[in-house]
């Protein structure tokens, strides 16, 4: 990620602007800035596509999530969580941001975002069905999908008989197969502990889980 205090970054705010439309709202942003931060914007505005001629593009996302992307391009961070927003709702927004960042090829690293997500998921009550549904609509290997799959391993390990996302296992394409594969990889690394129990490392949080 670039350093905004460096003199060379001033150049990214100069020059022509491009227009990015999200939910009928137009954002006019420095072309150099968005092309520097996104492989998709760079290809669109500097390539042979219609967007290059018009210097306009429309994105299929929400204004709230795109405005997070604008913050990221300008500052390399998203800023603090809105105090009135529930953690589970903020998790939804962060997952949508990761999805958009994958699509746009945003300049990273995105470690601060994934760390925020893991912190929220350390309280399992924050994980909701909609998060799994949203993640499983992404391509295999994308960040949002991987993070949510890992977050389901701990709950499944500890409460598989009453796993609260059983309906998702039945109804979401790929969810059961990928969760079971990740579960198998996790338990293969288990270590003997004490009192007849074993311990495994939660792939989502890094904390140890204990099981028989």
């Amino acid at each position: 990620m670039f350093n905004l205090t460096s003199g060379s970054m001033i150049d990214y705010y100069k020059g022509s602007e491009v227009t990015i439309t999200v939910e009928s709202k137009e954002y006019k942003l420095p072309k150099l800035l968005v092309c520097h931060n996104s492989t998709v914007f760079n290809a669109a505005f500097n390539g042979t596509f219609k967007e290059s001629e018009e210097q306009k593009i429309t994105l299929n996302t929400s204004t709230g999530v795109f405005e997070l992307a604008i913050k990221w391009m300008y500052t390399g961070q998203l800023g603090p969580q809105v105090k009135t927003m529930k953690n589970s709702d903020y998790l939804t927004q962060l997952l949508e941001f990761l999805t958009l960042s994958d699509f746009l090829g945003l300049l990273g690293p995105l470690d601060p975002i994934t760390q925020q997500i893991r912190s929220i998921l350390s309280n399992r009550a924050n994980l909701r069905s909609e998060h799994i549904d949203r993640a499983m609509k992404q391509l295999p290997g994308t960040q949002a999908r991987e993070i949510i799959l890992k977050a389901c391993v701990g709950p499944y390990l500890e409460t598989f008989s009453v796993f609260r996302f059983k309906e998702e296992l039945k109804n979401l394409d790929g969810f059961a197969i990928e969760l079971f594969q990740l579960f198998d990889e996790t338990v293969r690394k288990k270590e003997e502990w004490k009192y007849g129990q074993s311990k495994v490392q939660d792939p989502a949080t890094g904390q140890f889980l204990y099981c028989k």
Side-chain angles (χ1 to χ4, degrees):
M1 180 56 65
F2 55 73
N3 181 357
L4 284 176
T5 61
S6 65
S8 61
M9 272 312 301
I10 296 174
D11 294 338
Y12 287 103
Y13 309 134
K14 296 179 179 179
S16 61
E17 292 182 330
V18 294
T19 302
I20 301 171
T21 303
V22 179
E23 293 183 328
S24 301
K25 183 175 180 179
E26 290 188 348
Y27 297 86
K28 293 188 181 297
L29 299 167
K31 178 179 177 179
L32 287 175
L33 178 74
V34 300
C35 291
H36 171 74
N37 278 277
S38 163
T39 56
V40 167
F41 287 149
N42 186 49
F45 294 128
N46 291 317
T48 57
F49 303 101
K50 177 184 71 172
E51 290 82 3
S52 179
E53 294 179 10
E54 299 177 349
Q55 296 294 282
K56 295 180 179 179
I57 193 171
T58 299
L59 294 183
N60 182 22
T61 188
S62 69
T63 54
V65 173
F66 184 63
E67 284 167 11
L68 288 180
I70 293 174
K71 276 186 186 177
W72 183 262
M73 289 189 287
Y74 270 104
T75 70
Q77 53 189 338
L78 299 186
Q81 177 180 347
V82 177
K83 291 182 179 179
T84 56
M85 183 179 286
K86 294 179 180 178
N87 281 337
S88 55
D89 293 332
Y90 189 48
L91 175 59
T92 299
Q93 197 173 58
L94 291 177
L95 290 171
E96 289 176 348
F97 171 76
L98 280 187
T99 299
L100 181 61
S101 72
D102 278 332
F103 173 75
L104 293 178
L106 284 186
L107 190 65
L110 298 173
D111 294 351
I113 312 304
T114 56
Q115 287 169 6
Q116 278 184 291
I117 291 175
R118 290 189 179 97
S119 177
I120 294 172
L121 288 171
S122 63
N123 180 349
R124 291 178 183 162
N126 290 323
L127 180 62
R128 300 191 305 220
S129 175
E130 68 181 73
H131 299 137
I132 299 173
D133 181 63
R134 189 180 303 276
M136 293 309 297
K137 288 177 180 176
Q138 308 310 312
L139 292 173
T142 51
Q143 296 178 86
R145 185 165 174 146
E146 292 294 311
I147 288 173
I148 292 301
L149 280 166
K150 288 179 179 180
C152 291
V153 170
Y156 185 76
L157 176 68
E158 295 185 334
T159 62
F160 66 89
S161 60
V162 289
F163 185 52
R164 63 189 174 102
F165 299 116
K166 281 187 175 181
E167 288 302 309
E168 286 71 23
L169 286 175
K170 294 178 185 177
N171 299 324
L172 290 180
D173 288 344
F175 180 48
I177 292 174
E178 292 184 49
L179 176 59
F180 295 155
Q181 287 176 339
L182 189 54
F183 174 79
D184 184 60
E185 292 172 12
T186 301
V187 296
R188 285 177 183 273
K189 299 174 184 176
K190 69 180 181 180
E191 303 172 15
E192 295 300 319
W193 192 54
K194 55 184 177 181
Y195 309 124
Q197 289 187 316
S198 300
K199 65 178 182 179
V200 296
Q201 196 167 30
D202 187 329
T205 65
Q207 300 173 346
F208 281 108
L209 304 172
Y210 301 92
C211 55
K212 291 185 177 180

